[in-house]
Amino acid sequence: MKKLIGITGPLGSGKTTASKILQNKGYVQLIFSDVIKDEAKKRGLPTDTREILQDIGDELRNKYGNEVLAKKLLKKAVKLKINFLVVDGIRNIGELNYIKKRGGFIIGINSSLENRFKRISVPGEFYYGKSKKEFEKDEARDRGVGQDDFGQHAKDCLNASDIIINNNGTLKNLKEILLHIISL
């Protein structure tokens, strides 16, 4: 693999948008939640419920180690002979460290709580029609509140990033920052 970038940050911060910008520059995107969705399908469980997916991810990390999801994604990248990879959705410090040990550069994306809720509350997004209270509950778990070591820890991952982008601006601003980072 020539270049490996990991994307982390809290719920609704713009991780997937950042990954898509990198895809337009030749990176292949692999998403942590896709590994978990595959496991949910094997178990006959729904893949559209955040809590179920988080529980499965936590269970897999508890059983096989905190880096298990990162290992699965990177194994898939090697099998597919991907040279420029962006992995989207790092939620546990074990995943982050595994990617760093393999030469990965970690980009943290952050944004205000208000902006994040606005972004994911529009039609077609996960929180459309849901309350801010529901979002804040999920957001707290995502950050690591009350979580075991094998749970969600987006706040710790953000703090351990090689660089943090404040994504309270425009899409154009985010794109300019990302393009600058990958040119270094």
Side-chain angles (χ1 to χ4, degrees):
M1 202 166 318
K2 292 180 182 175
K3 275 205 170 180
L4 171 59
I5 295 176
I7 305 281
T8 191
L11 182 60
S13 60
K15 296 178 297 294
T16 300
T17 300
S19 293
K20 287 180 182 176
I21 291 168
L22 294 175
Q23 279 183 286
N24 289 334
K25 290 297 175 183
Y27 284 78
V28 174
Q29 176 195 45
L30 295 179
I31 304 171
F32 277 87
S33 63
D34 286 347
V35 174
I36 300 167
K37 286 177 183 177
D38 289 345
E39 182 65 25
K41 287 175 189 171
K42 285 181 196 173
R43 298 177 183 192
L45 296 171
T47 61
D48 60 350
T49 304
R50 183 171 194 80
E51 187 173 6
I52 289 173
L53 295 178
Q54 287 176 325
D55 289 347
I56 291 171
D58 292 356
E59 179 189 323
L60 291 172
R61 284 188 292 270
N62 187 35
K63 188 173 183 178
Y64 301 108
N66 287 342
E67 68 286 339
V68 65
L69 301 176
K71 282 182 176 179
K72 287 178 179 278
L73 281 182
L74 294 188
K75 183 177 179 180
K76 182 176 182 178
V78 168
K79 185 176 179 180
L80 296 173
K81 298 179 182 172
I82 296 171
N83 286 319
F84 295 91
L85 175 64
V86 57
V87 290
D88 178 0
I90 301 168
R91 292 286 198 287
N92 184 283
I93 204 76
E95 298 161 352
L96 183 139
N97 288 335
Y98 186 83
I99 290 167
K100 277 189 171 188
K101 286 177 189 170
R102 268 103 201 123
F105 184 81
I106 308 298
I107 299 174
I109 310 284
N110 202 7
S111 186
S112 71
L113 186 72
E114 288 299 319
N115 281 342
R116 292 186 287 123
F117 181 66
K118 284 179 194 173
R119 286 184 188 133
I120 62 175
S121 297
V122 297
E125 292 294 328
F126 188 76
Y127 283 89
Y128 180 65
K130 294 185 179 183
S131 71
K132 188 172 182 187
K133 188 174 183 174
E134 289 173 290
F135 168 73
E136 288 173 344
K137 177 184 172 248
D138 289 348
E139 197 271 343
R141 179 178 179 180
D142 190 61
R143 276 186 288 120
V145 175
Q147 293 292 292
D148 290 312
D149 178 58
F150 53 82
Q152 312 293 303
H153 290 280
K155 182 179 178 185
D156 293 339
C157 292
L158 185 67
N159 291 334
S161 297
D162 294 308
I163 191 166
I164 298 173
I165 297 173
N166 180 344
N167 189 24
N168 285 314
T170 65
L171 180 59
K172 181 181 177 188
N173 291 30
L174 178 61
K175 184 176 182 179
E176 287 170 357
I177 293 167
L178 283 169
L179 296 181
H180 176 73
I181 290 169
I182 65 171
S183 72
L184 299 175

mmCIF file of all heavy atoms in Angstrom, residues 66-110:
data_model
loop_
_atom_site.group_PDB
_atom_site.id
_atom_site.type_symbol
_atom_site.label_atom_id
_atom_site.label_comp_id
_atom_site.label_asym_id
_atom_site.label_seq_id
_atom_site.Cartn_x
_atom_site.Cartn_y
_atom_site.Cartn_z
ATOM 1 N N ASN A 66 -9.061 -5.031 20.188
ATOM 2 C CA ASN A 66 -9.521 -3.725 19.717
ATOM 3 C C ASN A 66 -9.141 -3.395 18.281
ATOM 4 O O ASN A 66 -9.737 -2.524 17.667
ATOM 5 C CB ASN A 66 -9.028 -2.619 20.654
ATOM 6 C CG ASN A 66 -9.770 -2.616 21.969
ATOM 7 O OD1 ASN A 66 -10.852 -3.189 22.090
ATOM 8 N ND2 ASN A 66 -9.201 -1.978 22.970
ATOM 9 N N GLU A 67 -8.169 -4.095 17.737
ATOM 10 C CA GLU A 67 -7.734 -3.810 16.372
ATOM 11 C C GLU A 67 -8.420 -4.688 15.327
ATOM 12 O O GLU A 67 -8.135 -4.590 14.136
ATOM 13 C CB GLU A 67 -6.215 -3.948 16.267
ATOM 14 C CG GLU A 67 -5.685 -5.360 16.431
ATOM 15 C CD GLU A 67 -5.699 -5.896 17.860
ATOM 16 O OE1 GLU A 67 -5.738 -5.116 18.828
ATOM 17 O OE2 GLU A 67 -5.690 -7.130 18.009
ATOM 18 N N VAL A 68 -9.340 -5.547 15.725
ATOM 19 C CA VAL A 68 -9.927 -6.545 14.825
ATOM 20 C C VAL A 68 -10.554 -5.930 13.569
ATOM 21 O O VAL A 68 -10.364 -6.452 12.466
ATOM 22 C CB VAL A 68 -10.954 -7.451 15.552
ATOM 23 C CG1 VAL A 68 -12.166 -6.674 16.033
ATOM 24 C CG2 VAL A 68 -11.374 -8.614 14.649
ATOM 25 N N LEU A 69 -11.282 -4.844 13.704
ATOM 26 C CA LEU A 69 -11.939 -4.251 12.533
ATOM 27 C C LEU A 69 -10.910 -3.655 11.571
ATOM 28 O O LEU A 69 -11.031 -3.790 10.352
ATOM 29 C CB LEU A 69 -12.958 -3.193 12.967
ATOM 30 C CG LEU A 69 -14.073 -3.695 13.885
ATOM 31 C CD1 LEU A 69 -14.964 -2.544 14.334
ATOM 32 C CD2 LEU A 69 -14.888 -4.787 13.228
ATOM 33 N N ALA A 70 -9.880 -3.026 12.128
ATOM 34 C CA ALA A 70 -8.816 -2.465 11.289
ATOM 35 C C ALA A 70 -8.078 -3.587 10.555
ATOM 36 O O ALA A 70 -7.754 -3.458 9.369
ATOM 37 C CB ALA A 70 -7.851 -1.645 12.136
ATOM 38 N N LYS A 71 -7.825 -4.681 11.240
ATOM 39 C CA LYS A 71 -7.160 -5.824 10.599
ATOM 40 C C LYS A 71 -7.979 -6.330 9.421
ATOM 41 O O LYS A 71 -7.441 -6.624 8.352
ATOM 42 C CB LYS A 71 -6.961 -6.962 11.601
ATOM 43 C CG LYS A 71 -5.813 -6.775 12.543
ATOM 44 C CD LYS A 71 -5.676 -7.978 13.469
ATOM 45 C CE LYS A 71 -4.470 -7.860 14.369
ATOM 46 N NZ LYS A 71 -4.344 -9.015 15.279
ATOM 47 N N LYS A 72 -9.287 -6.453 9.627
ATOM 48 C CA LYS A 72 -10.164 -6.946 8.555
ATOM 49 C C LYS A 72 -10.155 -5.993 7.356
ATOM 50 O O LYS A 72 -10.103 -6.439 6.209
ATOM 51 C CB LYS A 72 -11.589 -7.136 9.074
ATOM 52 C CG LYS A 72 -11.755 -8.345 9.980
ATOM 53 C CD LYS A 72 -13.179 -8.452 10.502
ATOM 54 C CE LYS A 72 -13.386 -9.648 11.382
ATOM 55 N NZ LYS A 72 -13.617 -10.883 10.650
ATOM 56 N N LEU A 73 -10.208 -4.691 7.617
ATOM 57 C CA LEU A 73 -10.207 -3.723 6.511
ATOM 58 C C LEU A 73 -8.886 -3.751 5.747
ATOM 59 O O LEU A 73 -8.884 -3.745 4.508
ATOM 60 C CB LEU A 73 -10.474 -2.312 7.029
ATOM 61 C CG LEU A 73 -11.912 -1.956 7.346
ATOM 62 C CD1 LEU A 73 -12.015 -0.504 7.798
ATOM 63 C CD2 LEU A 73 -12.832 -2.186 6.156
ATOM 64 N N LEU A 74 -7.774 -3.781 6.470
ATOM 65 C CA LEU A 74 -6.481 -3.769 5.789
ATOM 66 C C LEU A 74 -6.217 -5.082 5.052
ATOM 67 O O LEU A 74 -5.611 -5.086 3.982
ATOM 68 C CB LEU A 74 -5.355 -3.439 6.757
ATOM 69 C CG LEU A 74 -5.402 -2.024 7.341
ATOM 70 C CD1 LEU A 74 -4.148 -1.727 8.135
ATOM 71 C CD2 LEU A 74 -5.633 -0.966 6.283
ATOM 72 N N LYS A 75 -6.717 -6.186 5.605
ATOM 73 C CA LYS A 75 -6.597 -7.470 4.913
ATOM 74 C C LYS A 75 -7.364 -7.415 3.585
ATOM 75 O O LYS A 75 -6.880 -7.871 2.554
ATOM 76 C CB LYS A 75 -7.146 -8.597 5.804
ATOM 77 C CG LYS A 75 -6.997 -9.976 5.225
ATOM 78 C CD LYS A 75 -7.499 -11.034 6.198
ATOM 79 C CE LYS A 75 -7.378 -12.412 5.604
ATOM 80 N NZ LYS A 75 -7.867 -13.449 6.530
ATOM 81 N N LYS A 76 -8.550 -6.819 3.619
ATOM 82 C CA LYS A 76 -9.354 -6.659 2.403
ATOM 83 C C LYS A 76 -8.619 -5.774 1.392
ATOM 84 O O LYS A 76 -8.603 -6.067 0.200
ATOM 85 C CB LYS A 76 -10.712 -6.050 2.759
ATOM 86 C CG LYS A 76 -11.631 -5.878 1.582
ATOM 87 C CD LYS A 76 -12.992 -5.350 2.030
ATOM 88 C CE LYS A 76 -13.939 -5.212 0.855
ATOM 89 N NZ LYS A 76 -15.262 -4.742 1.285
ATOM 90 N N ALA A 77 -7.992 -4.695 1.869
ATOM 91 C CA ALA A 77 -7.259 -3.780 0.981
ATOM 92 C C ALA A 77 -6.100 -4.495 0.290
ATOM 93 O O ALA A 77 -5.862 -4.303 -0.904
ATOM 94 C CB ALA A 77 -6.756 -2.574 1.776
ATOM 95 N N VAL A 78 -5.396 -5.329 1.040
ATOM 96 C CA VAL A 78 -4.276 -6.086 0.462
ATOM 97 C C VAL A 78 -4.805 -7.062 -0.586
ATOM 98 O O VAL A 78 -4.259 -7.172 -1.686
ATOM 99 C CB VAL A 78 -3.481 -6.810 1.568
ATOM 100 C CG1 VAL A 78 -2.505 -7.822 0.962
ATOM 101 C CG2 VAL A 78 -2.746 -5.805 2.444
ATOM 102 N N LYS A 79 -5.887 -7.756 -0.252
ATOM 103 C CA LYS A 79 -6.481 -8.723 -1.182
ATOM 104 C C LYS A 79 -6.920 -8.031 -2.480
ATOM 105 O O LYS A 79 -6.754 -8.573 -3.576
ATOM 106 C CB LYS A 79 -7.685 -9.396 -0.508
ATOM 107 C CG LYS A 79 -8.306 -10.502 -1.305
ATOM 108 C CD LYS A 79 -9.423 -11.165 -0.521
ATOM 109 C CE LYS A 79 -10.072 -12.262 -1.339
ATOM 110 N NZ LYS A 79 -11.156 -12.920 -0.607
ATOM 111 N N LEU A 80 -7.455 -6.809 -2.353
ATOM 112 C CA LEU A 80 -7.916 -6.054 -3.522
ATOM 113 C C LEU A 80 -6.786 -5.278 -4.211
ATOM 114 O O LEU A 80 -7.020 -4.604 -5.205
ATOM 115 C CB LEU A 80 -9.033 -5.086 -3.115
ATOM 116 C CG LEU A 80 -10.322 -5.728 -2.607
ATOM 117 C CD1 LEU A 80 -11.278 -4.669 -2.067
ATOM 118 C CD2 LEU A 80 -10.991 -6.546 -3.717
ATOM 119 N N LYS A 81 -5.572 -5.363 -3.641
ATOM 120 C CA LYS A 81 -4.388 -4.679 -4.182
ATOM 121 C C LYS A 81 -4.607 -3.165 -4.297
ATOM 122 O O LYS A 81 -4.301 -2.547 -5.307
ATOM 123 C CB LYS A 81 -3.981 -5.285 -5.517
ATOM 124 C CG LYS A 81 -3.590 -6.741 -5.399
ATOM 125 C CD LYS A 81 -3.213 -7.355 -6.718
ATOM 126 C CE LYS A 81 -2.885 -8.829 -6.493
ATOM 127 N NZ LYS A 81 -2.687 -9.558 -7.697
ATOM 128 N N ILE A 82 -5.125 -2.596 -3.212
ATOM 129 C CA ILE A 82 -5.381 -1.158 -3.163
ATOM 130 C C ILE A 82 -4.086 -0.432 -2.799
ATOM 131 O O ILE A 82 -3.428 -0.776 -1.829
ATOM 132 C CB ILE A 82 -6.483 -0.838 -2.123
ATOM 133 C CG1 ILE A 82 -7.809 -1.481 -2.570
ATOM 134 C CG2 ILE A 82 -6.634 0.662 -1.929
ATOM 135 C CD1 ILE A 82 -8.901 -1.422 -1.523
ATOM 136 N N ASN A 83 -3.725 0.570 -3.599
ATOM 137 C CA ASN A 83 -2.518 1.353 -3.335
ATOM 138 C C ASN A 83 -2.780 2.591 -2.495
ATOM 139 O O ASN A 83 -1.956 2.977 -1.684
ATOM 140 C CB ASN A 83 -1.854 1.770 -4.647
ATOM 141 C CG ASN A 83 -1.153 0.599 -5.312
ATOM 142 O OD1 ASN A 83 -0.517 -0.208 -4.647
ATOM 143 N ND2 ASN A 83 -1.302 0.494 -6.613
ATOM 144 N N PHE A 84 -3.900 3.248 -2.726
ATOM 145 C CA PHE A 84 -4.241 4.468 -2.009
ATOM 146 C C PHE A 84 -5.558 4.213 -1.277
ATOM 147 O O PHE A 84 -6.612 4.135 -1.891
ATOM 148 C CB PHE A 84 -4.385 5.654 -2.968
ATOM 149 C CG PHE A 84 -3.088 6.007 -3.642
ATOM 150 C CD1 PHE A 84 -2.738 5.443 -4.859
ATOM 151 C CD2 PHE A 84 -2.205 6.896 -3.042
ATOM 152 C CE1 PHE A 84 -1.538 5.755 -5.475
ATOM 153 C CE2 PHE A 84 -1.006 7.212 -3.647
ATOM 154 C CZ PHE A 84 -0.664 6.644 -4.865
ATOM 155 N N LEU A 85 -5.457 4.079 0.048
ATOM 156 C CA LEU A 85 -6.604 3.663 0.845
ATOM 157 C C LEU A 85 -6.971 4.718 1.873
ATOM 158 O O LEU A 85 -6.099 5.258 2.556
ATOM 159 C CB LEU A 85 -6.276 2.348 1.566
ATOM 160 C CG LEU A 85 -7.322 1.812 2.548
ATOM 161 C CD1 LEU A 85 -8.622 1.443 1.831
ATOM 162 C CD2 LEU A 85 -6.766 0.598 3.299
ATOM 163 N N VAL A 86 -8.265 4.979 1.985
ATOM 164 C CA VAL A 86 -8.789 5.791 3.084
ATOM 165 C C VAL A 86 -9.779 4.914 3.843
ATOM 166 O O VAL A 86 -10.683 4.334 3.255
ATOM 167 C CB VAL A 86 -9.432 7.114 2.615
ATOM 168 C CG1 VAL A 86 -10.564 6.908 1.620
ATOM 169 C CG2 VAL A 86 -9.908 7.946 3.803
ATOM 170 N N VAL A 87 -9.540 4.759 5.157
ATOM 171 C CA VAL A 87 -10.454 3.998 5.996
ATOM 172 C C VAL A 87 -11.255 4.999 6.821
ATOM 173 O O VAL A 87 -10.709 5.884 7.462
ATOM 174 C CB VAL A 87 -9.740 2.950 6.880
ATOM 175 C CG1 VAL A 87 -9.203 1.820 6.018
ATOM 176 C CG2 VAL A 87 -8.635 3.546 7.713
ATOM 177 N N ASP A 88 -12.551 4.833 6.771
ATOM 178 C CA ASP A 88 -13.501 5.795 7.316
ATOM 179 C C ASP A 88 -14.202 5.221 8.541
ATOM 180 O O ASP A 88 -14.733 4.117 8.485
ATOM 181 C CB ASP A 88 -14.519 6.115 6.216
ATOM 182 C CG ASP A 88 -15.621 7.065 6.632
ATOM 183 O OD1 ASP A 88 -15.649 7.518 7.783
ATOM 184 O OD2 ASP A 88 -16.480 7.343 5.777
ATOM 185 N N GLY A 89 -14.176 5.985 9.635
ATOM 186 C CA GLY A 89 -14.991 5.620 10.784
ATOM 187 C C GLY A 89 -14.254 4.977 11.943
ATOM 188 O O GLY A 89 -14.827 4.156 12.652
ATOM 189 N N ILE A 90 -13.002 5.340 12.170
ATOM 190 C CA ILE A 90 -12.252 4.802 13.306
ATOM 191 C C ILE A 90 -12.941 5.258 14.585
ATOM 192 O O ILE A 90 -13.157 6.445 14.793
ATOM 193 C CB ILE A 90 -10.792 5.297 13.287
ATOM 194 C CG1 ILE A 90 -10.098 4.870 11.996
ATOM 195 C CG2 ILE A 90 -10.045 4.814 14.529
ATOM 196 C CD1 ILE A 90 -8.766 5.556 11.768
ATOM 197 N N ARG A 91 -13.265 4.300 15.469
ATOM 198 C CA ARG A 91 -13.981 4.619 16.708
ATOM 199 C C ARG A 91 -13.276 4.112 17.967
ATOM 200 O O ARG A 91 -13.731 4.347 19.064
ATOM 201 C CB ARG A 91 -15.377 3.988 16.697
ATOM 202 C CG ARG A 91 -16.342 4.571 15.703
ATOM 203 C CD ARG A 91 -16.818 5.932 16.190
ATOM 204 N NE ARG A 91 -18.025 6.401 15.564
ATOM 205 C CZ ARG A 91 -18.134 6.849 14.325
ATOM 206 N NH1 ARG A 91 -17.099 6.837 13.529
ATOM 207 N NH2 ARG A 91 -19.283 7.300 13.881
ATOM 208 N N ASN A 92 -12.174 3.391 17.780
ATOM 209 C CA ASN A 92 -11.497 2.812 18.942
ATOM 210 C C ASN A 92 -9.997 3.023 18.782
ATOM 211 O O ASN A 92 -9.457 2.874 17.681
ATOM 212 C CB ASN A 92 -11.838 1.316 19.062
ATOM 213 C CG ASN A 92 -11.257 0.688 20.295
ATOM 214 O OD1 ASN A 92 -10.068 0.402 20.348
ATOM 215 N ND2 ASN A 92 -12.100 0.480 21.304
ATOM 216 N N ILE A 93 -9.329 3.343 19.875
ATOM 217 C CA ILE A 93 -7.904 3.660 19.834
ATOM 218 C C ILE A 93 -7.073 2.466 19.358
ATOM 219 O O ILE A 93 -6.036 2.647 18.717
ATOM 220 C CB ILE A 93 -7.424 4.206 21.211
ATOM 221 C CG1 ILE A 93 -6.175 5.070 21.041
ATOM 222 C CG2 ILE A 93 -7.252 3.114 22.221
ATOM 223 C CD1 ILE A 93 -6.443 6.423 20.480
ATOM 224 N N GLY A 94 -7.535 1.244 19.600
ATOM 225 C CA GLY A 94 -6.840 0.064 19.075
ATOM 226 C C GLY A 94 -6.840 0.049 17.561
ATOM 227 O O GLY A 94 -5.832 -0.315 16.933
ATOM 228 N N GLU A 95 -7.962 0.437 16.960
ATOM 229 C CA GLU A 95 -8.051 0.534 15.497
ATOM 230 C C GLU A 95 -7.092 1.601 14.982
ATOM 231 O O GLU A 95 -6.348 1.379 14.021
ATOM 232 C CB GLU A 95 -9.485 0.892 15.086
ATOM 233 C CG GLU A 95 -10.507 -0.137 15.480
ATOM 234 C CD GLU A 95 -11.947 0.372 15.495
ATOM 235 O OE1 GLU A 95 -12.193 1.591 15.348
ATOM 236 O OE2 GLU A 95 -12.835 -0.476 15.668
ATOM 237 N N LEU A 96 -7.109 2.745 15.646
ATOM 238 C CA LEU A 96 -6.255 3.857 15.241
ATOM 239 C C LEU A 96 -4.786 3.465 15.322
ATOM 240 O O LEU A 96 -4.024 3.688 14.370
ATOM 241 C CB LEU A 96 -6.543 5.070 16.138
ATOM 242 C CG LEU A 96 -5.785 6.342 15.806
ATOM 243 C CD1 LEU A 96 -6.705 7.538 15.939
ATOM 244 C CD2 LEU A 96 -4.588 6.496 16.714
ATOM 245 N N ASN A 97 -4.383 2.867 16.427
ATOM 246 C CA ASN A 97 -2.980 2.475 16.594
ATOM 247 C C ASN A 97 -2.557 1.424 15.581
ATOM 248 O O ASN A 97 -1.430 1.450 15.088
ATOM 249 C CB ASN A 97 -2.733 1.987 18.022
ATOM 250 C CG ASN A 97 -2.756 3.129 19.020
ATOM 251 O OD1 ASN A 97 -2.495 4.284 18.681
ATOM 252 N ND2 ASN A 97 -3.103 2.812 20.254
ATOM 253 N N TYR A 98 -3.447 0.503 15.257
ATOM 254 C CA TYR A 98 -3.136 -0.519 14.260
ATOM 255 C C TYR A 98 -2.856 0.133 12.900
ATOM 256 O O TYR A 98 -1.902 -0.237 12.206
ATOM 257 C CB TYR A 98 -4.277 -1.526 14.149
ATOM 258 C CG TYR A 98 -3.965 -2.694 13.251
ATOM 259 C CD1 TYR A 98 -3.249 -3.786 13.732
ATOM 260 C CD2 TYR A 98 -4.380 -2.708 11.925
ATOM 261 C CE1 TYR A 98 -2.944 -4.859 12.916
ATOM 262 C CE2 TYR A 98 -4.080 -3.775 11.093
ATOM 263 C CZ TYR A 98 -3.364 -4.841 11.591
ATOM 264 O OH TYR A 98 -3.061 -5.906 10.773
ATOM 265 N N ILE A 99 -3.658 1.090 12.540
ATOM 266 C CA ILE A 99 -3.467 1.789 11.262
ATOM 267 C C ILE A 99 -2.176 2.601 11.278
ATOM 268 O O ILE A 99 -1.412 2.606 10.312
ATOM 269 C CB ILE A 99 -4.701 2.659 10.938
ATOM 270 C CG1 ILE A 99 -5.874 1.730 10.605
ATOM 271 C CG2 ILE A 99 -4.426 3.624 9.786
ATOM 272 C CD1 ILE A 99 -7.213 2.398 10.570
ATOM 273 N N LYS A 100 -1.892 3.270 12.388
ATOM 274 C CA LYS A 100 -0.647 4.039 12.502
ATOM 275 C C LYS A 100 0.572 3.118 12.385
ATOM 276 O O LYS A 100 1.548 3.464 11.721
ATOM 277 C CB LYS A 100 -0.592 4.797 13.832
ATOM 278 C CG LYS A 100 -1.325 6.112 13.812
ATOM 279 C CD LYS A 100 -1.029 6.885 15.095
ATOM 280 C CE LYS A 100 -1.571 8.288 15.029
ATOM 281 N NZ LYS A 100 -1.124 9.102 16.178
ATOM 282 N N LYS A 101 0.511 1.944 13.009
ATOM 283 C CA LYS A 101 1.633 0.998 12.963
ATOM 284 C C LYS A 101 1.896 0.506 11.544
ATOM 285 O O LYS A 101 2.993 0.047 11.238
ATOM 286 C CB LYS A 101 1.382 -0.192 13.878
ATOM 287 C CG LYS A 101 1.540 0.127 15.340
ATOM 288 C CD LYS A 101 1.200 -1.084 16.195
ATOM 289 C CE LYS A 101 1.138 -0.700 17.658
ATOM 290 N NZ LYS A 101 0.588 -1.787 18.494
ATOM 291 N N ARG A 102 0.900 0.559 10.698
ATOM 292 C CA ARG A 102 1.046 0.142 9.303
ATOM 293 C C ARG A 102 1.347 1.326 8.397
ATOM 294 O O ARG A 102 1.156 1.268 7.189
ATOM 295 C CB ARG A 102 -0.211 -0.586 8.821
ATOM 296 C CG ARG A 102 -0.066 -2.079 9.045
ATOM 297 C CD ARG A 102 -0.798 -2.594 10.178
ATOM 298 N NE ARG A 102 -0.334 -3.865 10.706
ATOM 299 C CZ ARG A 102 0.040 -3.995 11.968
ATOM 300 N NH1 ARG A 102 0.084 -2.977 12.765
ATOM 301 N NH2 ARG A 102 0.365 -5.161 12.453
ATOM 302 N N GLY A 103 1.805 2.430 8.984
ATOM 303 C CA GLY A 103 2.204 3.606 8.203
ATOM 304 C C GLY A 103 1.076 4.566 7.891
ATOM 305 O O GLY A 103 1.248 5.480 7.090
ATOM 306 N N GLY A 104 -0.055 4.374 8.504
ATOM 307 C CA GLY A 104 -1.199 5.241 8.238
ATOM 308 C C GLY A 104 -1.082 6.609 8.875
ATOM 309 O O GLY A 104 -0.444 6.780 9.913
ATOM 310 N N PHE A 105 -1.682 7.562 8.236
ATOM 311 C CA PHE A 105 -1.771 8.940 8.715
ATOM 312 C C PHE A 105 -3.223 9.160 9.126
ATOM 313 O O PHE A 105 -4.129 8.892 8.344
ATOM 314 C CB PHE A 105 -1.376 9.912 7.597
ATOM 315 C CG PHE A 105 -1.351 11.348 8.018
ATOM 316 C CD1 PHE A 105 -0.259 11.858 8.701
ATOM 317 C CD2 PHE A 105 -2.419 12.183 7.732
ATOM 318 C CE1 PHE A 105 -0.221 13.190 9.089
ATOM 319 C CE2 PHE A 105 -2.399 13.516 8.114
ATOM 320 C CZ PHE A 105 -1.300 14.014 8.799
ATOM 321 N N ILE A 106 -3.443 9.640 10.348
ATOM 322 C CA ILE A 106 -4.800 9.768 10.866
ATOM 323 C C ILE A 106 -5.258 11.220 10.810
ATOM 324 O O ILE A 106 -4.613 12.117 11.362
ATOM 325 C CB ILE A 106 -4.900 9.260 12.322
ATOM 326 C CG1 ILE A 106 -4.312 7.848 12.460
ATOM 327 C CG2 ILE A 106 -6.347 9.338 12.812
ATOM 328 C CD1 ILE A 106 -5.001 6.772 11.649
ATOM 329 N N ILE A 107 -6.390 11.423 10.143
ATOM 330 C CA ILE A 107 -7.009 12.739 10.059
ATOM 331 C C ILE A 107 -8.253 12.726 10.937
ATOM 332 O O ILE A 107 -9.149 11.902 10.746
ATOM 333 C CB ILE A 107 -7.399 13.099 8.610
ATOM 334 C CG1 ILE A 107 -6.156 13.138 7.722
ATOM 335 C CG2 ILE A 107 -8.150 14.437 8.573
ATOM 336 C CD1 ILE A 107 -6.461 13.339 6.242
ATOM 337 N N GLY A 108 -8.283 13.625 11.897
ATOM 338 C CA GLY A 108 -9.459 13.807 12.734
ATOM 339 C C GLY A 108 -10.312 14.920 12.163
ATOM 340 O O GLY A 108 -9.785 15.955 11.758
ATOM 341 N N ILE A 109 -11.601 14.692 12.109
ATOM 342 C CA ILE A 109 -12.545 15.705 11.627
ATOM 343 C C ILE A 109 -13.430 16.066 12.818
ATOM 344 O O ILE A 109 -14.027 15.185 13.431
ATOM 345 C CB ILE A 109 -13.440 15.167 10.480
ATOM 346 C CG1 ILE A 109 -12.615 14.505 9.376
ATOM 347 C CG2 ILE A 109 -14.340 16.266 9.936
ATOM 348 C CD1 ILE A 109 -11.884 15.419 8.462
ATOM 349 N N ASN A 110 -13.526 17.347 13.113
ATOM 350 C CA ASN A 110 -14.364 17.780 14.220
ATOM 351 C C ASN A 110 -15.259 18.917 13.770
ATOM 352 O O ASN A 110 -14.961 19.602 12.794
ATOM 353 C CB ASN A 110 -13.512 18.219 15.416
ATOM 354 C CG ASN A 110 -14.279 18.159 16.714
ATOM 355 O OD1 ASN A 110 -15.399 17.681 16.776
ATOM 356 N ND2 ASN A 110 -13.660 18.645 17.775
#
